[in-house]
Amino acid sequence: MPVPPARLLPQTEPPLLLSSSSDSESQPEAQVDHTDEEDNNDIAEGLSPVAQGTKGPLDRMKASDFDDVSKEILVMATSIFQCFIVTQVPFPDNIAVETKLAKAAWHEACQIKGINVKLTPSGVKMLLTRTSQVCRELKIKMRSLTASFFGFRTSNSNSVIRQNRDLAESLKDGSVFAFKSKKGIYKMELLQLGVNVMWFANRHDKGIIYHKYFNPMPIEVITLVLTTIECCINEWLQGLKEDVKFTSATYGTVYYGHFGSLQCFNERMAPYKLLERICTNLHDTARFHAGVNSLTISSSASWISDTAFEDAIREYRLEEQDGAEPSVL
């Protein structure tokens, strides 16, 4: 499948398609969410023992084997890498693309912490497992949101099954699910809800801490959420919810389709900069949901009030009346 044209907004390279050999959604849902300690322990085995000044063969290591700064780098690099994936290439074309992002994330984390900790090949491998993990996590979070938003119901009733099937088919017809209404393309609330719950749940979430990657909201993120919503709708096509794997092999082409539609939308609406406004609004609304003020800096702080001007004029006139030399300092 051809690589999509250049991206709409100047952020990074356009999204690429992940080969089926990298797909993985075989883990049960209960195993998708990892604690920071589990993430640390997993990646720690790939961290160079230079972190503690030790030498020799690197055996299975735990986060407790490293100093506090190294532990923070482990967590930060993982978070940054996941941000890179969803905002740049949700479906990487090959392992070289993923490896480049993993190294960049590690380097970024080291720079932020002001320490240089060597990343070994096994450490890169640990980071790469987060590519499929972040997509699974989004799918799980969007599943219940999608069902409740559109009104899918779990029931063995033939009438309910038929309603679910008809609803799923109608939503997929012309990608109606991407509309807020017949006139509100890409403005539906579900898109915003997905962004909120995945990256802006609170002021400590990735979208806030690493806001530079999400401001304005990259079209890759919008496309990924739309693709996930369609996957969740597909689970109801038979009337009863079924588990549909959200992998690049099954949804890479769907992702491309939504990305292409966004390109067409941007081209047709270019005079109005509508997509740019949608991306900005998605980000600002998500920040508000997380309980954080907008990044827009008010210009009122730099204003000089009319009263100040009037006072200056009055002072100047009084100095003239007194015969004093007007002050310029």
Side-chain angles (χ1 to χ4, degrees):
M1 181 168 295
V3 177
R7 57 173 297 127
L8 308 182
L9 300 177
Q11 303 239 0
T12 57
E13 294 299 318
L16 303 171
L17 185 61
L18 178 65
S19 61
S20 58
S21 61
S22 300
D23 295 331
S24 173
E25 198 178 80
S26 58
Q27 295 181 350
E29 293 182 8
Q31 298 180 6
V32 170
D33 293 329
H34 293 261
T35 64
D36 288 346
E37 183 69 17
E38 289 172 335
D39 285 339
N40 291 345
N41 291 338
D42 285 343
I43 305 175
E45 70 169 328
L47 186 63
S48 168
V50 172
Q52 282 195 317
T54 60
K55 295 183 179 181
L58 183 61
D59 298 323
R60 175 73 180 181
M61 306 185 75
K62 298 181 179 180
S64 57
D65 296 326
F66 300 92
D67 58 77
D68 291 340
V69 174
S70 297
K71 294 176 187 177
E72 292 179 5
I73 292 178
L74 294 177
V75 178
M76 182 173 290
T78 300
S79 296
I80 293 175
F81 176 69
Q82 290 180 326
C83 290
F84 284 172
I85 288 295
V86 300
T87 61
Q88 297 183 31
V89 280
F91 296 117
D93 183 48
N94 52 59
I95 195 171
V97 175
E98 293 180 85
T99 301
K100 183 178 180 180
L101 292 180
K103 291 180 178 179
W106 190 270
H107 178 71
E108 177 79 3
C110 288
Q111 280 196 322
I112 293 175
K113 293 299 180 182
I115 183 173
N116 185 24
V117 179
K118 182 181 178 181
L119 176 64
T120 64
S122 55
V124 173
K125 183 178 180 181
M126 292 297 172
L127 285 174
L128 297 190
T129 63
R130 271 54 187 177
T131 301
S132 57
Q133 176 187 317
V134 69
C135 290
R136 288 198 304 272
E137 182 183 352
L138 177 60
K139 160 72 180 306
I140 291 171
K141 290 183 175 180
M142 290 304 302
R143 176 179 284 155
S144 59
L145 284 175
T146 302
S148 60
F149 185 83
F150 291 118
F152 291 107
R153 294 183 295 162
T154 301
S155 173
N156 291 323
S157 168
N158 290 332
S159 61
V160 173
I161 292 175
R162 183 171 57 254
Q163 291 172 6
N164 288 336
R165 184 172 60 247
D166 293 343
L167 176 58
E169 292 175 352
S170 65
L171 288 171
K172 284 178 59 65
D173 185 16
S175 295
V176 173
F177 67 88
F179 292 74
K180 178 179 181 180
S181 64
K182 292 297 183 180
K183 299 181 180 180
I185 187 171
Y186 302 128
K187 292 184 179 181
M188 76 292 194
E189 185 182 0
L190 185 57
L191 177 57
Q192 183 72 65
L193 291 175
V195 170
N196 291 352
V197 73
M198 185 64 185
W199 298 286
F200 293 83
N202 53 60
R203 60 178 59 243
H204 305 294
D205 213 345
K206 294 181 180 67
I208 300 299
I209 296 179
Y210 306 106
H211 62 81
K212 66 179 180 179
Y213 305 127
F214 293 89
N215 182 32
M217 195 62 59
I219 60 169
E220 285 83 357
V221 172
I222 298 175
T223 308
L224 180 60
V225 175
L226 290 173
T227 306
T228 309
I229 293 173
E230 181 161 354
C231 178
C232 293
I233 292 174
N234 287 341
E235 292 190 329
W236 294 93
L237 279 174
Q238 302 304 318
L240 293 172
K241 188 176 74 66
E242 300 178 336
D243 182 29
V244 176
K245 301 300 181 182
F246 188 56
T247 65
S248 62
T250 53
Y251 279 90
T253 54
V254 177
Y255 177 89
Y256 273 119
H258 287 299
F259 188 85
S261 294
L262 277 164
Q263 286 183 313
C264 293
F265 176 75
N266 186 59
E267 293 171 0
R268 297 289 294 272
M269 300 296 177
Y272 311 101
K273 298 183 177 180
L274 191 53
L275 182 59
E276 181 178 338
R277 289 161 56 188
I278 289 175
C279 292
T280 299
N281 185 67
L282 277 170
H283 171 264
D284 292 348
T285 303
R287 282 184 64 87
F288 179 80
H289 173 267
V292 180
N293 293 331
S294 172
L295 287 173
T296 303
I297 301 177
S298 174
S299 60
S300 60
S302 62
W303 289 351
I304 299 178
S305 67
D306 291 339
T307 301
F309 285 128
E310 293 171 359
D311 290 342
I313 294 173
R314 188 179 300 108
E315 180 181 358
Y316 187 89
R317 287 176 177 173
L318 287 174
E319 289 178 345
E320 283 188 322
Q321 291 175 3
D322 294 339
E325 186 69 24
S327 175
V328 295
L329 297 177

